[in-house]
Amino acid sequence: KQEVTQIPAALSVPEGENLVLNCSFTDSAIYNLQWFRQDPGKGLTSLLLIQSSQREQTSGRLNASLDKSSGRSTLYIAASQPGDSATYLCAVRPESNTGKLIFGQGTTLQVKP
Amino acid sequence: DTAVSQTPKYLVTQMGNDKSIKCEQNLGHDTMYWYKQDSKKFLKIMFSYNNKELIINETVPNRFSPKSPDKAHLNLHINSLELGDSAVYFCASSRRGVEKETQYFGPGTRLLVL
């Protein structure tokens, strides 16, 4: 059974710091891994999607890596800003044809001005 | 312009009532999902429909009955609501068989059962 774990559960940093969020998964049979952002009271916004054959994806100040064999992914945020404050969710899509996503419990990030 | 929309946004009701949540997507996707996010923020898949056909039912109680009148709509009806049903329910959609595409999520429906 696939399980996704995110560490840490919460993180508070001063503005300008670079930071890393961690995600691990127990079954390497995945199609892709995605990082989402969730703002309080809002839905989920997709940030980066890494296919199983890829090692990393970049979008602006965000860089996500994937080590499928070891069951790990990291989300690197450079030069953090108060606007980055949100909950970051990692999700894997197992190798089945159902398309469902299995989520970690998220890391709640606070960037202080 | 909203890609995935849900109604209502908030729902407060008494235990034992029956309620429905509606979801619509205008992205032309053929697969739609319902997820439940509990008080600890843990998101878990409940149902998935592809072209109006049920393809995922993750051991959800029979009190929950999804209905898909067409590819663009997936509604969730809940009978005999219980306190433990209080959560945020998210609808999502995607194109089946396209592994490099993400799912698009609605804004969520916050259900509180008193």
Side-chain angles (χ1 to χ4, degrees), chain A residues 1 4 31-32 34 36 38 40-44 46 49 51 89 93 97-101 103-105, chain B residues 33 35 37 40-43 45 48 55-56 58 90 96-103 105-107 110:
Chain A
K1 180 185 173 186
V4 181
Y31 274 138
N32 62 49
Q34 301 178 54
F36 290 87
Q38 184 177 22
K42 300 289 178 64
L44 279 68
S46 179
L49 184 152
Q51 296 178 61
L89 294 160
R93 182 176 165 184
N97 206 21
T98 62
K100 73 177 182 182
L101 297 178
F103 284 85
Q105 288 182 273
Chain B
Y33 311 82
Y35 289 85
Q37 187 173 43
K40 296 182 179 178
K41 306 287 186 173
F42 188 49
L43 257 170
I45 184 79
S48 174
I55 56 173
I56 298 175
E58 292 281 315
F90 287 99
R96 191 175 185 185
V98 184
E99 287 72 35
K100 59 184 177 181
E101 280 197 9
T102 186
Q103 291 180 15
F105 282 77
R110 284 141 190 84

Side-chain angles (χ1 to χ4, degrees), chain B residues 48-68:
Chain B
S48 174
Y49 269 73
N50 175 259
N51 284 321
K52 303 194 295 176
E53 179 183 351
L54 180 67
I55 56 173
I56 298 175
N57 180 342
E58 292 281 315
T59 61
V60 178
N62 291 337
R63 299 182 295 102
F64 290 79
S65 53
K67 285 186 170 50
S68 181

Side-chain angles (χ1 to χ4, degrees), chain A residues 22-37:
Chain A
N22 296 292
C23 173
S24 61
F25 48 97
T26 55
D27 187 347
S28 63
I30 63 170
Y31 274 138
N32 62 49
L33 181 143
Q34 301 178 54
W35 284 92
F36 290 87
R37 169 181 173 143

